């Protein structure tokens, strides 16, 4: 189906291998050969997950990094050279609604700041969480508390902790008993880790893996935080231009690069996405083409791939001009045309992403025609 649609490269990973364990050459080749047998290529690894123990400097950090290096060596031996990863503690991308209904009948991902604050303050009961919100936001949280149902509370827990995180990093999965308690234990590990310490933990990790990256020509591509601002009291270190520049300068090696996720960066009002693309095109090794629209009160929504603060039309032009060999993929799509009945992971619909792919394919074809 993907080949018929016109897809050339596949972005995938060995999702069945637990975080921290070694990816063997045999397992890598099994998937690589499967993809190539369909006439496609495995273009990008997304992701080779970085274990929490690496992020928080656990006693077994060096062993976890040693395992990571072996996995990188095996990927390099198999000819796979582009690795997307993130360094977000505990939680990956955050939304409060995975099926937000739009007027045309499709649904998309949505972030409601008041619902998230309710989850943070009155479900997690995180210490001093109320100090991170304005008095107006707190008033709305306690107003919501008067009407929210138990089913709606359970839905928030399932959305924020289980459904999103379960398929991304495996910290919590469907069927776990008392996910709130598990989540709070994971958060507590970072109580005494600030932004500077997390940065240094990233620098240590990158310095350890750069020799194997140089040996096999592997490009590491860090993904921006999503959304790119502080949440749940956790340090976030990939939120804006200053953060990106720090990472690239901290380990000034061309194999230490960026996954340019326009969707993540566009939810931060501090970010001018096309300007960031121009500044960091030479150190970008992979691009996520999606967009968001920011709304009043700190809310945001996944936007059409031709609209929103991601400015994808402009981004395609920038990257096609500055770094034309980049692998780029459409990311996140609406649920449409029966996608909602297929059991897809949140944001990863089939028809919705193929619709987005057609939009971006048209944009790319236009630029290529104009540049002839």
């Amino acid at each position: 189906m993907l080949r018929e649609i016109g897809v050339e490269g596949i972005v995938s990973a060995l999702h069945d291998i637990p975080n921290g364990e070694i990816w063997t050459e045999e397992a890598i080749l099994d998937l690589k050969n499967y993809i190539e047998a369909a006439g496609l290529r495995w273009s990008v690894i997304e992701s080779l997950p970085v274990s929490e123990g690496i992020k928080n400097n656990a006693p077994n950090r060096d062993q976890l990094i040693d395992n990571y290096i072996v996995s990188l060596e095996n990927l390099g031996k198999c000819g796979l050279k582009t690795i997307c990863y993130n360094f977000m503690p505990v939680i990956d991308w955050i939304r409060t609604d995975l099926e937000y209904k739009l007027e045309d009948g499709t649904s998309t991902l949505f972030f409601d700041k008041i619902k998230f604050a309710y989850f943070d303050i009155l479900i997690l009961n995180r210490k001093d969480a109320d100090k991170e919100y304005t008095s107006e936001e707190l008033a709305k949280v306690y107003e919501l508390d008067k009407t929210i149902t138990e089913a709606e509370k359970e839905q928030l827990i399932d959305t924020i902790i289980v459904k999103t995180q379960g398929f991304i990093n495996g910290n919590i999965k469907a069927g776990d008993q008392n996910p709130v308690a598990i989540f709070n234990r994971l958060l507590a590990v970072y109580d005494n880790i600030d932004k500077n310490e997390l940065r240094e933990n990233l620098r240590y990790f990158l310095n350890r893996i750069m020799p194997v990256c140089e040996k096999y020509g592997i490009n590491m591509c860090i993904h921006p935080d999503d959304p790119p601002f502080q949440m749940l009291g956790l340090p976030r270190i990939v939120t804006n231009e200053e953060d990106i520049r720090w990472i690239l300068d901290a380990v000034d090696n061309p194999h230490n690069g960026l996954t340019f996720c326009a969707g993540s960066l566009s939810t931060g009002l501090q970010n001018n996405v096309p300007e960031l693309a121009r500044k960091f095109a030479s150190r970008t090794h992979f691009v996520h083409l999606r967009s968001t629209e920011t709304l009043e009160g700190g809310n945001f929504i996944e936007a059409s791939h031709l609209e929103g603060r991601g400015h994808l039309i402009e981004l395609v032009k920038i990257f096609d001009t500055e770094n034309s060999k980049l692998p780029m993929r459409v990311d996140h799509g609406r649920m449409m045309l029966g996608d909602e009945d297929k059991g897809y992971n949140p944001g990863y619909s089939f028809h919705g992403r193929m619709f987005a792919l057609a939009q971006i394919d048209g944009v790319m074809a236009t630029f290529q025609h104009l540049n002839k």
Side-chain angles (χ1 to χ4, degrees):
M1 292 171 68
L2 294 175
R3 187 170 59 176
E4 289 178 14
I5 289 164
V7 171
E8 298 174 358
I10 300 296
V11 178
S12 191
L14 303 183
H15 298 290
D16 57 320
I17 297 180
N19 291 4
E21 294 190 10
I22 291 171
W23 290 18
T24 65
E25 281 189 69
E26 181 182 15
I28 294 165
L29 287 173
D30 279 348
L31 181 54
K32 184 172 185 279
N33 291 338
Y34 173 73
I35 290 169
E36 291 177 352
L40 304 168
R41 66 175 180 270
W42 190 1
S43 301
V44 179
I45 312 301
E46 186 181 349
S47 301
L48 180 56
V50 178
S51 302
E52 289 297 315
I54 295 174
K55 298 173 188 175
N56 58 45
N57 190 13
N60 65 337
R61 173 174 70 169
D62 284 325
Q63 180 59 58
L64 290 168
I65 296 177
D66 288 344
N67 288 356
Y68 202 97
I69 288 170
V70 175
S71 295
L72 286 176
E73 287 177 335
N74 290 338
L75 286 165
K77 291 173 185 176
C78 295
L80 297 162
K81 304 295 181 69
T82 304
I83 316 292
C84 176
Y85 73 103
N86 77 66
F87 219 75
M88 289 179 260
V90 181
I91 194 165
D92 207 283
W93 53 271
I94 302 173
R95 304 292 185 274
T96 56
D97 194 335
L98 304 178
E99 297 180 2
Y100 185 84
K101 295 296 182 183
L102 301 174
E103 290 184 1
D104 61 5
T106 63
S107 64
T108 191
L109 306 175
F110 189 85
F111 178 83
D112 183 308
K113 188 173 183 181
I114 300 306
K115 284 186 179 180
F116 183 80
Y118 182 93
F119 165 82
D120 191 11
I121 298 168
L122 296 179
I123 293 179
L124 289 183
N125 293 307
R126 186 171 62 86
K127 182 182 178 182
D128 295 330
D130 56 336
K131 295 179 181 179
E132 297 178 16
Y133 301 94
T134 67
S135 57
E136 291 81 7
E137 289 168 343
L138 291 173
K140 291 178 181 178
V141 166
Y142 289 106
E143 191 64 30
L144 175 61
D145 190 42
K146 297 175 183 177
T147 60
I148 193 170
T149 66
E150 290 302 313
E152 288 170 332
K153 294 177 188 178
E154 289 299 320
Q155 185 66 48
L156 271 179
I157 294 169
D158 191 52
T159 294
I160 298 172
I161 298 180
V162 181
K163 276 210 174 81
T164 307
Q165 306 312 310
F167 84 90
I168 291 175
N169 59 28
N171 286 337
I172 299 175
K173 57 187 181 298
D176 283 343
Q177 298 299 310
N178 202 345
V180 169
I182 297 172
F183 193 66
N184 274 321
R185 287 197 295 271
L186 293 168
L187 292 176
V189 174
Y190 290 87
D191 281 350
N192 297 313
I193 297 176
D194 61 12
K195 180 173 183 175
N196 288 333
E197 185 170 348
L198 187 63
R199 277 179 163 181
E200 290 306 319
N201 293 344
L202 173 61
R203 192 207 304 258
Y204 182 87
F205 166 70
L206 288 171
N207 277 325
R208 283 285 314 277
I209 67 171
M210 279 299 109
V212 72
C213 291
E214 291 175 340
K215 180 177 179 179
Y216 290 100
I218 293 172
N219 289 326
M220 297 296 297
C221 324
I222 194 165
H223 189 287
D225 300 332
D226 184 6
F229 38 81
Q230 307 308 120
M231 307 187 80
L232 299 170
L234 294 168
R236 303 280 249 183
I237 60 171
V238 199
T239 66
N240 56 24
E241 178 182 349
E242 190 269 335
D243 284 346
I244 296 170
R245 196 171 297 285
W246 186 94
I247 291 165
L248 300 181
D249 289 347
V251 180
D252 192 9
N253 186 307
H255 296 291
N256 170 32
L258 177 67
T259 293
F260 194 97
C261 180
S264 298
L265 292 168
S266 65
T267 59
L269 294 176
Q270 72 274 20
N271 293 325
N272 179 316
V273 179
E275 183 178 301
L276 291 177
R278 292 187 186 92
K279 288 182 177 179
F280 297 113
S282 65
R283 292 286 289 273
T284 295
H285 300 312
F286 181 37
V287 179
H288 280 181
L289 292 172
R290 68 177 177 87
S291 184
T292 65
E293 195 64 74
T294 53
L295 308 171
E296 290 184 2
N299 300 345
F300 63 84
I301 190 170
E302 301 278 342
S304 160
H305 287 66
L306 300 182
E307 300 172 350
R309 298 190 73 251
H311 300 287
L312 301 189
I313 295 174
E314 190 171 355
L315 288 197
V316 168
K317 183 177 182 181
I318 291 168
F319 286 121
D320 193 51
T321 302
E322 301 291 333
N323 197 346
S324 62
K325 300 299 183 181
L326 274 175
M328 297 192 285
R329 78 165 174 90
V330 294
D331 193 19
H332 292 184
R334 296 181 182 182
M335 290 288 188
M336 60 192 302
L337 303 173
D339 280 334
E340 59 276 10
D341 301 324
K342 301 297 190 300
Y344 297 125
N345 288 324
Y348 293 92
S349 61
F350 179 73
H351 292 107
R353 285 196 295 159
M354 294 308 101
F355 176 66
L357 179 63
Q359 292 176 309
I360 296 300
D361 197 34
V363 171
M364 295 176 74
T366 300
F367 285 128
Q368 289 166 4
H369 176 75
L370 292 174
N371 290 332
K372 283 184 178 178

